[in-house]
Amino acid sequence: MLDYETLRTLWWLILGVLLIGFAIMDGFDLGVATIFRFIGRSDEERRALLESIEPVWDGNQVWFILGGGAAFAAWPLLYAASFSGLYLAMFLLLVALILRPVGFTFRNKVESVQWRNVWDWALFAGGAVPALLFGVAFGNLFLGVPFHFDELQRPVYTAGFFNLLHPFALLAGVVSVAMLVMHGAAYASLKVEDPMSARAASVGRVAAVVFVLAFAAAGVWVAFGLEGQRVVSEIDVAGPANPLRKSVEVATGAWLDNYRTHGLLWLAPGGAVLAAVLTWILLGTPRKGSAFLTSCITQAGTILTAGFALFPFLLPSSTHPDHGLTVWDASSSKTTLLIMLVAVIVFMPIVLVYTTWVFRVLRGRITLDEIRRHGGLY
């Protein structure tokens, strides 16, 4: 039987896997939606780009739903503190995500240039806004979120939406947008024919450069200009879920403590940068499939970089550091984590097999001739 500490650690790893799965699978959907308006010069070209993601976006978004479900079930305090305190940001995110299926549904209902332009920009917002908000959210984890618990252990958020737009958080947003645009461009260059493929590759190469520069700048900021947090009291890794039983120290560069202790963790940021450089190189060659694979590695490496730095914190508090949520003091019961783990073992392989089958069925490039044959329909 797995002990409580192991179950908590496993669920932290599972949450990381779900986030990586979302970044890889739905990330290219967001990236394509962000750039299709600019690399598609005609309605037919834009329809071809949209056709590359329209059949798969809803299945890919399952990873996002699973991540939210895992946060709710495995760490209910995390779900309560983040979803209630960051309500406006969550609302904007959901509105942007809702624009995507609506845009796919209504874009071709009316034979009008103005009508399609409106929905094109709606689809652009449905890709760019979530990409930016996800990065801003990760940036605010490093800054700490202004919340605390009252005498009844209810989370109390003490700032507004615009307080989230700290320069470091916006830099993290740039990292996210550049990363997902690169990923979407690598996917588009693989799925559509020239001239859209060549344009997508060019955009992806620019995004790769922006990502590396912004990622490096964020790393320097974390190391030398940002106050991090570390738990300085004894941690009861198998104790009850009570976030008020620890002491936290705030110090510049503290977010790099895990990297100083475990040198192998540097493989995550190093791998993210190296994979982005390889993506830049490969997008300039006919090996677009390899470029997409290296882009996937960048997604994984970037999320692991943040996860390793923050561990064991899930949601640090900037106003009351001792009230921040960690893997050890915000989880569900041992029984709940065990039952959920069994469900993951059963259903995760089904999701992976189905996803593999879908992409095998939909393999191949989308051509303008196919778009013309289907007329106004996808």
Side-chain angles (χ1 to χ4, degrees):
M1 179 67 70
L2 297 174
D3 58 34
Y4 205 4
E5 176 187 1
T6 301
L7 284 170
R8 285 168 159 169
T9 305
L10 282 175
W11 270 102
W12 178 79
L13 293 172
I14 290 171
L15 181 61
V17 169
L18 294 175
L19 291 175
I20 291 171
F22 172 68
I24 291 175
M25 301 305 300
D26 205 32
F28 68 75
D29 294 334
L30 299 177
V32 171
T34 302
I35 64 176
F36 86 98
R37 173 79 192 180
F38 309 103
I39 63 177
R41 304 292 173 79
S42 67
D43 183 65
E44 289 176 344
E45 290 182 355
R46 290 168 187 161
R47 283 165 48 205
L49 289 160
L50 291 176
E51 175 64 13
S52 70
I53 60 174
E54 196 273 339
V56 299
W57 75 267
D58 49 352
N60 292 340
Q61 196 161 274
V62 166
W63 294 92
F64 177 64
I65 297 170
L66 290 174
F72 171 74
W75 292 287
L77 285 177
L78 169 64
Y79 188 88
S82 59
F83 278 64
S84 59
L86 307 178
Y87 182 82
L88 181 55
M90 295 290 183
F91 177 78
L92 290 175
L93 174 64
L94 291 176
V95 168
L97 291 174
I98 289 170
L99 285 175
R100 185 165 47 176
V102 175
F104 284 136
T105 301
F106 287 101
R107 183 183 185 274
N108 290 322
K109 294 296 185 183
V110 177
E111 291 288 341
S112 166
V113 174
Q114 290 79 10
W115 174 268
R116 290 184 175 179
N117 282 340
V118 168
W119 289 112
D120 283 351
W121 287 114
L123 287 166
F124 163 78
V129 172
L132 177 64
L133 289 178
F134 285 130
V136 169
F138 266 96
N140 275 283
L141 292 181
F142 284 90
L143 294 167
V145 177
F147 80 97
H148 65 275
F149 290 93
D150 64 12
E151 63 278 3
L152 298 178
Q153 283 203 13
R154 295 174 301 186
V156 179
Y157 187 70
T158 56
F161 171 76
F162 292 102
N163 295 98
L164 301 175
L165 304 181
H166 184 279
F168 177 79
L170 293 176
L171 176 60
V174 172
V175 172
S176 176
V177 172
M179 178 181 75
L180 296 180
V181 165
M182 178 188 72
H183 195 44
Y187 178 80
S189 69
L190 178 65
K191 286 295 293 181
V192 297
E193 63 178 357
D194 286 330
M196 301 89 73
S197 177
R199 294 178 198 141
S202 297
V203 171
R205 299 189 81 199
V206 173
V209 173
V210 174
F211 166 78
V212 171
L213 294 177
F215 187 72
V220 172
W221 199 334
V222 168
F224 303 106
L226 202 66
E227 289 187 334
Q229 299 184 13
R230 63 171 68 99
V231 179
V232 293
S233 59
E234 184 177 351
I235 302 175
D236 185 0
V237 296
N242 185 348
L244 307 182
R245 300 176 59 189
K246 64 179 178 299
S247 297
V248 174
E249 178 184 70
V250 177
T252 299
W255 289 132
L256 296 183
D257 284 354
N258 289 333
Y259 288 93
R260 298 186 185 102
T261 304
H262 307 284
L264 285 177
L265 298 183
W266 287 102
L267 290 174
V273 171
L274 177 60
V277 172
L278 289 175
T279 303
W280 180 84
I281 295 172
L282 291 168
L283 283 174
T285 72
R287 301 176 62 184
K288 300 300 191 295
S290 298
F292 181 70
L293 290 176
T294 55
S295 180
C296 291
I297 295 173
T298 296
Q299 314 303 305
T302 303
I303 292 174
L304 288 173
T305 297
F308 291 154
L310 291 168
F311 185 85
F313 286 93
L314 296 170
L315 190 69
S317 171
S318 59
T319 55
H320 295 70
D322 292 346
H323 291 205
L325 303 179
T326 73
V327 171
W328 314 119
D329 60 22
S331 71
S332 295
S333 68
K334 179 180 177 181
T335 301
T336 299
L337 296 181
L338 183 59
I339 293 173
M340 289 170 54
L341 181 62
V342 173
V344 168
I345 293 173
V346 172
F347 291 106
M348 184 63 75
I350 297 175
V351 173
L352 293 173
V353 170
Y354 174 75
T355 301
T356 302
W357 175 79
V358 167
F359 280 91
R360 179 174 176 80
V361 170
L362 297 175
R363 67 186 182 278
R365 287 183 181 267
I366 298 166
T367 67
L368 293 178
D369 286 339
E370 292 174 336
I371 297 298
R372 295 186 186 108
R373 284 198 302 270
H374 285 86
L377 301 175
Y378 284 118

